[in-house]
Amino acid sequence: MIIVREKISCPAGLPRIAIRVSREQLSKGRWRATADDGTEFGFDLVVPLKHGDCAYCTDRAAYILEQRPEKVLALPLPPTAAEAAGLAWQLGNLHCPIEITADSIFVADNPAVRKWLATGHLSYAETERIFSPQRPHVHEHTHH
């Protein structure tokens, strides 16, 4: 088993071998995965890795983390910054991960969020994508 402790830079042009992982795995410091070619990896990280990072490299191939797509709900971004911030704040109060892009707010699909959206008569679409929610700051305020 190959132990990975941090992201590395791989030379361009090498064939890529995927290490397919979930978003939950990528958020952890210690985990295991198997690459598409059967190579086993153990991850012992101080800083979490993300989709597209190179985890290991040989003279023949680069082992790249490939996050699996997941089901999310896509909400159109409100027209003003204040409305967008308000919607993001409300979703954050539901303790659901969100990702904001130039035209949409993506939120993890779960029954509580669907109910809240239905109650507020907010439109959304179901989609599947690589979901990269904003990560909280290390010293962020919590309710605990």
Side-chain angles (χ1 to χ4, degrees), residues 45-78:
L45 307 163
V46 173
V47 176
L49 299 178
K50 63 184 185 309
H51 174 72
D53 282 348
C54 183
Y56 184 72
C57 193
T58 69
D59 58 345
R60 294 180 173 202
Y63 289 84
I64 307 297
L65 293 170
E66 296 286 337
Q67 182 180 327
R68 290 184 198 102
E70 62 185 282
K71 291 180 183 176
V72 294
L73 305 177
L75 290 77
L77 195 65

Side-chain angles (χ1 to χ4, degrees), residues 115-137:
K115 183 177 180 179
W116 182 82
L117 293 170
T119 301
H121 304 288
L122 297 170
S123 64
Y124 64 90
E126 299 173 13
T127 188
E128 192 168 294
R129 63 176 293 180
I130 303 296
F131 185 47
S132 301
Q134 282 72 21
R135 294 184 179 176
H137 299 289

